[in-house]
């Protein structure tokens, strides 16, 4: 069965610094996809970045990059040059081929990031 | 504009009453999902559907029911059997496939008094 673990309930980072949010996952399927979402205080969920299990390179989207270590089953999100607007909850999520479906999307418990001046 | 619409944004109900949360999408997505979020916690999957007239239980389906009579619509009923229904409910949809991200609605905050 799928499982996503985010061990950092809260993180602080100074503006303009980089920060890494941890995510580990557990699946027995060789084919899976990993996602990161941002949830501001308004409650909406914003998709940030995707990494496929067969992707050779780490995914990058602007200031977001994914440090994907397949053997360790980790998919950490790196935010470079933090901005005050980055303050939010961040969720890691996964799909795999469990039970013959690639549809089920499972989330971790999230990390609350606070960017300070 | 394409997107997912959840209604209402805030909902108050008395204990013991069933309540239905609406979710509509015009993105032509095959899959739809319902998640529950409690304060300071992650998203827990209630139900999901990949195709019309078919749906699967998620991790916390007890006390909830869904239907998928149309591709665009996936309403969630919170029944009186749900012991602690007060929460933030998020609906999402996506295309099928490993690499497709889910798009979310704005959420419904349900308070049972």
């Amino acid at each position: 069965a799928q499982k996503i673990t985010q061990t950092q309930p809260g993180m602080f980072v100074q503006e303009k610094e980089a920060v890494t949010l941890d995510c580990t996952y557990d699946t027995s399927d060789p084919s899976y996809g990993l996602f990161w979402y941002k949830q501001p205080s308004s409650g909406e969920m914003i998709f940030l970045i995707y990494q496929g299990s067969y992707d050779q390179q780490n995914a990058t989207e602007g200031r977001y990059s994914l440090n994907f270590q397949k053997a360790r089953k980790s998919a950490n999100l790196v935010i470079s040059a933090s901005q005050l607007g980055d303050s939010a909850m961040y969720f890691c999520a996964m799909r795999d081929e469990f039970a013959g479906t690639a549809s089920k999307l499972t989330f971790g418990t999230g990390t609350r990031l606070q960017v300070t001046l | 504009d394409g997107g997912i619409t959840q209604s209402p944004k805030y909902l108050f109900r008395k204990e013991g009453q069933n309540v239905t949360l609406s979710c509509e999408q015009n993105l032509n997505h095959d899959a739809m999902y319902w998640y529950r979020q409690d304060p300071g916690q992650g998203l827990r999957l209630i139900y999901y559907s990949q195709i019309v007239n078919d749906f699967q239980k998620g991790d916390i389906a007890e006390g909830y029911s869904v239907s998928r009579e149309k591709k665009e619509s996936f309403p969630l009923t919170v029944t009186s059997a749900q012991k602690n229904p007060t929460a933030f409910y998020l609906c999402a949809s996506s295309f099928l496939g490993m690499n497709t991200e889910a798009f979310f609605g704005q959420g419904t905050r349900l308070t049972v008094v």
Side-chain angles (χ1 to χ4, degrees):
Chain A
Q2 303 169 325
K3 185 171 172 144
I4 295 280
T5 302
Q6 295 181 255
T7 57
Q8 305 155 313
M11 291 279 287
F12 287 90
V13 64
Q14 271 196 318
E15 198 181 18
K16 299 178 188 174
E17 297 293 312
V19 63
T20 298
L21 307 183
D22 294 342
C23 172
T24 58
Y25 58 90
D26 189 22
T27 177
S28 55
D29 286 306
S31 178
Y32 51 88
L34 297 154
F35 303 80
W36 276 91
Y37 283 83
K38 172 184 177 181
Q39 186 181 42
S41 56
S42 58
E44 63 189 302
M45 295 287 286
I46 302 166
F47 166 71
L48 297 177
I49 195 167
Y50 166 80
Q51 179 83 43
S53 59
Y54 292 119
D55 293 344
Q56 296 296 314
Q57 294 192 321
N58 287 343
T60 59
E61 289 287 348
R63 293 187 299 111
Y64 304 108
S65 61
L66 210 151
N67 184 0
F68 181 46
Q69 297 187 43
K70 196 169 180 177
R72 294 186 177 185
K73 292 190 174 179
S74 75
N76 299 339
L77 178 71
V78 180
I79 305 175
S80 62
S82 296
Q83 302 171 356
L84 293 177
D86 294 334
S87 295
M89 283 288 286
Y90 288 81
F91 293 99
C92 182
M94 181 174 72
R95 287 186 200 281
D96 65 12
E97 295 262 347
F98 176 70
T101 173
S103 199
K104 187 178 180 185
L105 184 61
T106 301
F107 283 79
T109 53
T111 296
R112 182 171 296 282
L113 177 66
Q114 185 69 44
V115 181
T116 61
L117 291 170
Chain B
D1 286 337
I4 302 177
T5 303
Q6 287 187 245
S7 60
K9 191 171 182 180
Y10 298 96
L11 190 54
F12 294 87
R13 278 294 181 269
K14 289 185 178 179
E15 197 171 336
Q17 288 182 335
N18 290 357
V19 60
T20 297
L21 281 59
S22 169
C23 179
E24 304 273 335
Q25 54 98 1
N26 60 5
L27 300 166
N28 199 32
H29 285 164
D30 298 292
M32 296 188 74
Y33 315 79
W34 275 105
Y35 292 91
R36 170 182 171 139
Q37 187 177 24
D38 293 285
Q41 296 192 29
L43 280 66
R44 291 185 290 169
L45 183 64
I46 305 173
Y47 270 98
Y48 65 106
S49 168
Q50 297 179 88
I51 194 170
V52 173
N53 293 324
D54 187 45
F55 45 82
Q56 287 78 41
K57 291 182 180 180
D59 302 314
I60 56 164
E62 186 176 348
Y64 299 97
S65 66
V66 293
S67 63
R68 185 92 187 272
E69 297 176 2
K70 298 187 300 182
K71 187 175 184 178
E72 301 80 17
S73 178
F74 193 42
L76 174 73
T77 297
V78 185
T79 74
S80 56
Q82 169 50 234
K83 291 185 172 60
N84 186 17
T86 294
F88 186 54
Y89 291 87
L90 282 159
C91 179
S93 69
S94 74
F95 291 114
L96 295 178
M98 194 68 64
N99 62 346
T100 58
E101 76 267 28
F103 292 78
F104 283 79
Q106 295 295 307
T108 293
R109 192 166 299 279
L110 172 65
T111 303
V112 175
V113 296

